[in-house]
Amino acid sequence: MKKLLVVLMSLFVLTALFAAEATPVVSWSGSASFTLGIDEKGVDIDGGLVKPSVTVSPSADTQFGVSFAIDVIGKSLSFKSLSFENNIFALDYTKGAAGFQYFVTPDKDGNYLLNAEDNISLTLKAVDGMTVVFQDVVTEVDYNTGTPTTHKWFDDFVGVTYSIANVNLAAAFYDADEATETNLYQYGLNANTSLDLGFATLELDGVAGVVDASNTVAYGISESLSAEFSIVTLTQSFAWKQNVSQFAFARDNDASSVSVKAAVEYSMPSTVTISGDVSFKIASLATPSEFTVPVNFKVAYTNMFDASLALGWADVVNAATSIKMTLAAGYKDDMVAVNASAEWADLVGAATAVDLNADLSVTPIDALTLGAAVRYASEELGYNVNANYAFDDNTTFTVFYGTLYGDTDKDGKTDIHKDDAQWYAKLSWSTSF
């Protein structure tokens, strides 16, 4: 990939030389922050830049641009991306991995399972709607000592996307094991589209491919429909998947499943909204006794008050009495917001084992917010109180005290530290540019 970068930089320089009419434009982006804090452990000062970069992008009949990541604190400048185009093609080169329709997808934090070192996106002017993507997963070439004999020749990712008649098509072929000495080739096709039916919107997605050396076939289809009729809204979805969790970089966890969902919402303008949904999912087609049925019901009034009920059977066949139940309610106006919930992991078998949560926030003036929260679970009680004052759009002062903080087990609920109350006060400043 070093040699490729040299070629790209050479093309960039040549393009710049011939772009006599180009007017250089330099733009900065990123964010900066500063924190002064004190807690039971002492005083701490922190600050710095977050993902700062500078982009130079002259423009003329021939386009070109280069982006750098700059760390002012560390006094370093690193190459980030390069793009240029001519009358025949347009090319983008970026460090790291890039998303690719179904086959390379990010998590909620934007991180990819694919650990590519570099990637290229190439579009041809003569073929409208088609893009070729190459991602360098493993560096095969050493320009000083030659290619190691243990390396496989192709340890990378190549894909083609093509959009036609509102259908997005993608084909991918790649080495899934990311090891230098072995290959685990996977390949597949994906198609998705969104159709406007006038009264409803229909989303369709399908994928099929081979996921291992034994030619195991993986496939999945999903469909969802959203329709509005005056004061009633209907939504429906269907999915059937087999072995798709074996696609290495797709973040699709449904190995073999069938799921169906239907929901309805009834609204009276500015007064009451009533909604409910029911769905079922067979977690494994090989063992259809794993049968899940959640039911949800919700009522909201003038966008201030809402309440909901959720029931779920983890396994209707083998554990029909194991029912999960959640009750929740909330109220919000310009000054006060209150939320409360009660959850039973097994309403029948362990009806007394309840997880109770409640929180309150009050905003007496625009700049000041006071808050409190409490949780009772597993015979333990946790609580916290906090306050946040905004001096301006960039500067805030926050104080906190309590035993309810953090989420180390990542279950989506704040942890209880009954014997370890934490307190802190911090002054924070941040800006984006």
Side-chain angles (χ1 to χ4, degrees):
M1 187 52 71
K2 295 178 182 177
K3 187 174 181 180
L4 175 60
L5 179 56
V6 171
V7 173
L8 294 177
M9 291 300 292
S10 299
L11 289 172
F12 166 73
V13 172
L14 289 174
T15 306
L17 290 176
F18 287 100
E21 300 178 6
T23 301
V25 176
V26 180
S27 60
W28 295 79
S29 65
S31 62
S33 65
F34 165 80
T35 301
L36 169 62
I38 180 172
D39 65 6
E40 69 272 14
K41 301 179 183 66
V43 180
D44 188 48
I45 299 175
D46 193 16
L49 296 174
V50 179
K51 296 181 179 179
S53 66
V54 56
T55 302
V56 183
S57 55
S59 60
D61 292 337
T62 302
Q63 299 289 328
F64 67 99
V66 62
S67 177
F68 301 94
I70 183 171
D71 181 359
V72 177
I73 304 300
K75 299 180 180 179
S76 65
L77 179 69
S78 60
F79 177 81
K80 185 178 180 181
S81 66
L82 170 69
S83 63
F84 60 88
E85 66 177 283
N86 52 39
N87 294 330
I88 300 175
F89 64 87
L91 188 146
D92 293 297
Y93 167 75
T94 308
K95 301 293 290 183
F100 184 83
Q101 203 154 309
Y102 174 89
F103 298 98
V104 182
T105 52
D107 62 12
K108 61 181 180 180
D109 298 319
N111 300 314
Y112 296 105
L113 289 176
L114 175 63
N115 296 312
E117 298 178 359
D118 315 84
N119 72 85
I120 293 173
S121 176
L122 178 69
T123 58
L124 299 176
K125 300 295 182 68
V127 187
D128 187 35
M130 187 177 76
T131 301
V132 180
V133 175
F134 178 84
Q135 308 208 46
D136 190 18
V137 180
V138 177
T139 298
E140 291 88 357
V141 179
D142 186 328
Y143 294 106
N144 297 317
T145 61
T147 304
T149 57
T150 56
H151 278 212
K152 297 297 183 180
W153 189 83
F154 184 81
D155 278 307
D156 303 302
F157 180 104
V158 62
V160 179
T161 63
Y162 183 62
S163 298
I164 183 173
N166 200 37
V167 178
N168 303 311
L169 304 172
F173 177 78
Y174 53 92
D175 183 13
D177 66 3
E178 299 186 20
T180 58
E181 298 83 7
T182 59
N183 290 131
L184 176 59
Y185 291 131
Q186 296 184 348
Y187 52 91
L189 300 172
N190 173 244
N192 65 68
T193 187
S194 177
L195 302 176
D196 186 355
L197 305 180
F199 67 93
T201 300
L202 179 65
E203 306 281 347
L204 300 172
D205 190 285
V207 64
V210 173
V211 291
D212 60 26
S214 301
N215 292 323
T216 298
V217 175
Y219 60 87
I221 56 174
S222 61
E223 166 270 334
S224 64
L225 179 73
S226 177
E228 294 186 10
F229 305 94
S230 183
I231 59 177
V232 177
T233 300
L234 299 175
T235 58
Q236 171 272 326
S237 64
F238 170 80
W240 185 4
K241 299 180 180 181
Q242 183 76 22
N243 298 325
V244 295
S245 62
Q246 296 184 50
F247 283 119
F249 314 121
R251 296 190 188 275
D252 194 331
N253 297 322
D254 289 319
S256 305
S257 66
V258 174
S259 61
V260 178
K261 182 177 181 178
V264 60
E265 180 175 300
Y266 173 80
S267 298
M268 297 176 64
S270 303
T271 53
V272 178
T273 298
I274 301 174
S275 60
D277 64 77
V278 60
S279 63
F280 76 84
K281 177 179 178 180
I282 302 174
S284 174
L285 298 179
T287 55
S289 60
E290 299 179 28
F291 191 66
T292 304
V293 180
V295 178
N296 297 284
F297 180 76
K298 181 177 181 179
V299 177
Y301 179 72
T302 62
N303 297 322
M304 295 173 58
F305 170 79
D306 65 82
S308 63
L309 164 67
L311 298 172
W313 289 261
D315 188 345
V316 175
V317 177
N318 292 329
T321 60
S322 180
I323 301 174
K324 180 180 179 180
M325 177 177 175
T326 302
L327 293 172
Y331 173 84
K332 183 178 181 180
D333 59 26
D334 293 337
M335 187 187 316
V336 178
V338 183
N339 295 285
S341 67
E343 178 181 299
W344 289 262
D346 186 352
L347 183 61
V348 179
T352 59
V354 61
D355 189 336
L356 300 173
N357 286 269
D359 62 77
L360 165 70
S361 67
V362 180
T363 307
I365 58 176
D366 290 341
L368 178 64
T369 299
L370 307 174
V374 63
R375 180 186 179 192
Y376 178 80
S378 302
E379 299 183 352
E380 293 184 357
L381 177 67
Y383 63 91
N384 70 54
V385 291
N386 58 86
N388 184 283
Y389 184 81
F391 292 96
D392 51 42
D393 292 339
N394 304 96
T395 312
T396 59
F397 179 71
T398 305
V399 294
F400 176 95
Y401 177 80
T403 61
L404 190 61
Y405 55 87
D407 184 14
T408 55
D409 55 6
K410 298 186 183 302
D411 63 351
K413 299 177 181 178
T414 308
D415 297 335
I416 299 173
H417 304 265
K418 64 176 183 177
D419 299 321
D420 185 18
Q422 184 184 71
W423 66 267
Y424 64 81
K426 65 178 181 179
L427 177 69
S428 303
W429 175 90
S430 65
T431 187
S432 298
F433 53 88

